[in-house]
Amino acid sequence: NLGVDLSFVFLRFGEIKEGDVVRHDGKRSDGYLEHIFKHAAKELFGMDVKEITYKALKNKDFQEVTLEKDGETVLRFASAYGFRNIQNMVLKLKKGKFLYHFVEVLACPGGCLNGKGQTQTEDGKPDKALLNQMEEVYAAIPVRLPETNMYVQKMYQDWLEGMDSRKVQETLHTKYSAVNQTASSLDIKW
């Protein structure tokens, strides 16, 4: 996911017209998991995944997606929505019992469209009719893979010096290493 400020895109490439609005794969405003899962399946294992199946685990806001090849699970992704699920995920990570290759994390239970600033009635309760309407509008927007977007391609060409350049490696790729823990009264205890 290349988080580019839209104002940069407007300034750099010109205005986007209403007909140019597209979305990524996904059920709602989430869906990066689906795109990354399908891309990883193809790039890493040569498998073209058309549809993915979510398996709800402890609740509907913690779901798992797996890819099997030759009877072995080769990809294990999860979506964790809401702070309760995020907190459980962090606890499992600390214990070394979180076996996922990728996790899509959203703070709002039910995803971003169900956020506190989105689908509430005047008395502060969830407005399910409005949520359903927003999901229908979102689903009606055409899907386009990010890598086929001409603005993304132009950004790779002009700003990142090509798809496999040293600048791409330096700018978009991250390396992780262990961090020494220091005791602090500001540490959050999950």
Side-chain angles (χ1 to χ4, degrees):
N1 173 9
L2 181 59
V4 178
D5 184 332
L6 284 181
S7 61
F8 169 78
V9 173
F10 291 140
L11 291 172
R12 179 81 171 105
F13 301 117
E15 287 188 34
I16 295 177
K17 299 169 197 66
E18 185 176 336
D20 292 339
V21 176
V22 295
R23 67 179 177 92
H24 50 72
D25 278 335
K27 300 176 290 187
R28 300 178 300 259
S29 60
D30 50 350
Y32 292 103
L33 179 148
E34 286 195 31
H35 174 71
I36 294 168
F37 186 85
K38 290 175 181 179
H39 188 77
K42 187 171 190 147
E43 292 296 315
L44 299 174
F45 304 103
M47 299 175 70
D48 191 18
V49 176
K50 298 290 184 203
E51 294 289 324
I52 68 171
T53 304
Y54 286 86
K55 176 183 172 187
L57 298 179
K58 293 193 178 222
N59 57 61
K60 68 178 178 61
D61 282 332
F62 190 88
Q63 297 186 20
E64 177 182 79
V65 178
T66 59
L67 178 71
E68 289 189 13
K69 184 173 184 176
D70 302 326
E72 180 185 349
T73 301
V74 293
L75 284 180
R76 186 180 306 270
F77 283 23
S79 61
Y81 300 163
F83 285 114
R84 179 183 53 178
N85 289 314
I86 295 168
Q87 182 178 24
N88 288 334
M89 179 188 75
V90 170
L91 289 172
K92 287 180 183 178
L93 277 167
K94 284 184 170 185
K95 294 177 183 177
K97 297 182 178 184
F98 199 73
L99 308 173
Y100 295 97
H101 299 105
F102 176 89
V103 181
E104 181 172 69
V105 178
L106 297 175
C108 297
C112 292
L113 288 181
N114 197 41
K116 283 291 188 188
Q118 300 288 331
T119 61
Q120 292 185 7
T121 59
E122 288 183 22
D123 60 355
K125 294 183 180 170
D127 187 337
K128 293 185 187 226
L130 179 58
L131 177 61
N132 288 336
Q133 184 180 5
M134 288 190 316
E135 287 177 352
E136 287 174 14
V137 167
Y138 186 79
I141 298 171
V143 173
R144 181 175 21 175
L145 296 175
E147 58 269 24
T148 65
N149 183 308
M150 70 179 197
Y151 299 117
V152 172
Q153 290 175 357
K154 187 158 178 56
M155 186 170 49
Y156 268 98
Q157 178 186 339
D158 295 350
W159 185 57
L160 294 170
E161 302 166 358
M163 294 291 282
D164 296 320
S165 71
R166 186 172 59 86
K167 193 166 185 179
V168 165
Q169 291 295 319
E170 292 170 354
T171 307
L172 302 179
H173 293 255
T174 303
K175 291 185 180 178
Y176 296 95
S177 58
V179 176
N180 293 332
Q181 296 289 330
T182 58
S184 168
S185 62
L186 299 176
D187 288 344
I188 297 174
K189 302 294 181 195
W190 295 59

